[in-house]
Amino acid sequence: MKILVYGAGVLGSQLAQVLVRGGNDVTVLARGKRAEELERDGVVIRHVFQFKTTVDPVRVTRELKADDVYDLIFVVMKYNDFPSVLPILADNQSTNIVIVGNNADARSMQTYLEDNSRVDKRVAFGFHVSGGKRNKDRMMSIGGGKGLMVIGALDGRIPFQPLLDQAFAKAKYKLDVIEDIDAWLKSHLIPILMLNAVSFDEERELKKLEGSQKQLLHIIGAMNEGIAVLEAMGIDMIPKAQAKLIRNHKRLLYLLLKIYSILPVHKLVAGSFGEIEEMERSFAEWKRVTNIPTPHWDVLRRDFTIL
């Protein structure tokens, strides 16, 4: 199957490797030094917890032309980068698109593609459950064992599910199809935003959580406020166990966050400043529309963050 992975960061590289090893004809869209690395060395990934490095050759392109046709296109990038790619996708003749990553605005992205594309677009949204960081000419990955993507469509079943099944049939990878992917993505944004908003210094460089009792209690409180904002929008947090942990098991959550604040793995799962900043703008709009008070989040922004 002919597949394009649009984006060659950590998660795009991981997904490309999975698809290559699943027997697909995979092209990665990359630019600059990253394109040169992929052409020279292939996809090089250091699997941190498995103590091994893998190398997989891959096709490389520096642009998606209007007449390029792929069976599937996976767009894997940061939330704040999606808007710049949508016009390129709309102009391309490929039909089946999976937009992968943090996403607070899936509906408007799908609407844009439907209204502006040269051909009918069939769109799904997903989240590649993993993490890592770039280290020189290789990607550091904390994904271990069988990979996982949470995926779904906004309007019922994924219209090209058989193609997805075929693409991953021989891959060590699971597709967890979610009935309400928009609710899942919005739910996921809450803990990610509350944790990462306090993880950058004044130079916008990533730092560890402070891990103080005051900070962690405000984070837990802000997560609870985030759930209330979603509920006011008519959205129940998915998975429900996550909401139950935040609301009913605060002592356990505090302990988990305390451990998380100490471990160096924090830097392998954190987002970038630009992405977190854009996610905060979306959350601020949800707050404005719902008029839900968020005193803990307000304290975090005032005393612990630079957003």
Side-chain angles (χ1 to χ4, degrees):
M1 183 174 294
K2 190 176 180 181
I3 298 175
L4 175 69
V5 177
Y6 197 130
V10 174
L11 300 183
S13 298
Q14 292 173 353
L15 183 58
Q17 183 208 45
V18 166
L19 291 166
V20 167
R21 295 196 167 202
N24 298 286
D25 179 4
V26 180
T27 299
V28 175
L29 194 152
R31 297 185 178 91
K33 183 179 179 181
R34 182 60 181 147
E36 295 173 2
E37 291 172 354
L38 290 168
E39 288 172 335
R40 181 182 67 245
D41 304 323
V43 178
V44 182
I45 299 178
R46 176 61 183 175
H47 302 269
V48 176
F49 295 144
Q50 295 170 294
F51 302 102
K52 68 177 183 180
T53 299
T54 57
V55 180
D56 295 271
V58 68
R59 299 180 190 273
V60 180
T61 185
R62 286 167 172 76
E63 63 178 325
L64 177 61
K65 298 178 182 178
D67 295 330
D68 292 339
V69 178
Y70 295 90
D71 298 309
L72 291 168
I73 296 180
F74 291 90
V75 185
V76 189
M77 54 185 56
K78 298 179 178 64
Y79 173 51
N80 53 311
D81 291 332
F82 285 135
S84 65
V85 176
L86 293 177
I88 300 172
L89 294 172
D91 196 44
N92 178 258
Q93 290 195 34
S94 302
T95 299
N96 304 308
I97 312 293
V98 184
I99 297 177
V100 183
N102 289 312
N103 201 326
D105 205 15
R107 175 62 67 182
S108 70
M109 292 184 187
Q110 177 169 309
T111 298
Y112 179 92
L113 290 174
E114 290 173 343
D115 292 346
N116 296 278
S117 294
R118 303 169 61 196
V119 298
D120 289 339
K121 289 289 196 276
R122 304 193 297 178
V123 185
F125 295 87
F127 188 88
H128 177 64
V129 182
S130 187
K133 69 175 183 179
R134 180 169 178 169
N135 185 15
K136 295 183 179 179
D137 60 347
R138 67 188 60 193
M139 299 296 175
M140 308 292 288
S141 171
I142 63 171
K146 190 172 183 177
L148 172 66
M149 182 183 293
V150 177
I151 191 170
L154 299 183
D155 304 301
R157 299 181 63 182
I158 301 172
F160 49 94
Q161 185 68 53
L163 286 176
L164 290 169
D165 293 339
Q166 181 182 342
F168 291 100
K170 298 180 180 179
K172 294 182 178 180
Y173 200 83
K174 178 183 177 182
L175 296 178
D176 184 7
V177 179
I178 301 294
E179 183 175 342
D180 192 345
I181 189 64
D182 188 52
W184 191 97
L185 290 166
K186 286 182 168 67
S187 299
H188 180 74
L189 181 145
I190 298 302
I192 293 298
L193 178 58
M194 305 323 178
L195 283 170
N196 282 276
V198 296
S199 301
F200 296 90
D201 60 24
E202 293 182 357
E203 284 73 41
R204 302 186 178 185
E205 294 294 328
L206 192 66
K207 62 183 178 66
K208 289 180 66 176
L209 294 178
E210 180 182 304
S212 67
Q213 182 183 42
K214 181 180 178 182
Q215 185 191 62
L216 295 182
L217 289 176
H218 280 305
I219 288 174
I220 294 171
M223 289 181 184
N224 194 24
E225 293 164 358
I227 297 174
V229 170
L230 291 181
E231 288 175 341
M233 297 166 62
I235 298 172
D236 291 327
M237 177 167 269
I238 303 174
K240 292 182 179 180
Q242 184 171 250
K244 186 176 181 181
L245 173 64
I246 294 169
R247 285 187 158 168
N248 301 331
H249 301 283
K250 290 184 173 62
R251 289 185 179 180
L252 174 59
L253 180 57
Y254 176 87
L255 177 61
L256 293 173
L257 291 178
K258 189 68 176 180
I259 295 171
Y260 177 74
S261 71
I262 297 171
L263 296 175
V265 72
H266 163 68
K267 290 195 173 185
L268 295 178
V269 297
S272 69
F273 179 85
E275 181 175 38
I276 299 303
E277 186 178 37
E278 195 62 34
M279 290 164 62
E280 198 278 333
R281 289 195 185 99
S282 296
F283 182 66
E285 177 61 16
W286 299 347
K287 282 177 49 184
R288 186 192 67 77
V289 171
T290 60
N291 200 30
I292 297 294
T294 56
H296 287 285
W297 173 246
D298 296 340
V299 170
L300 281 180
R301 293 191 75 250
R302 185 187 70 225
D303 297 347
F304 293 99
T305 82
I306 61 171
L307 292 175

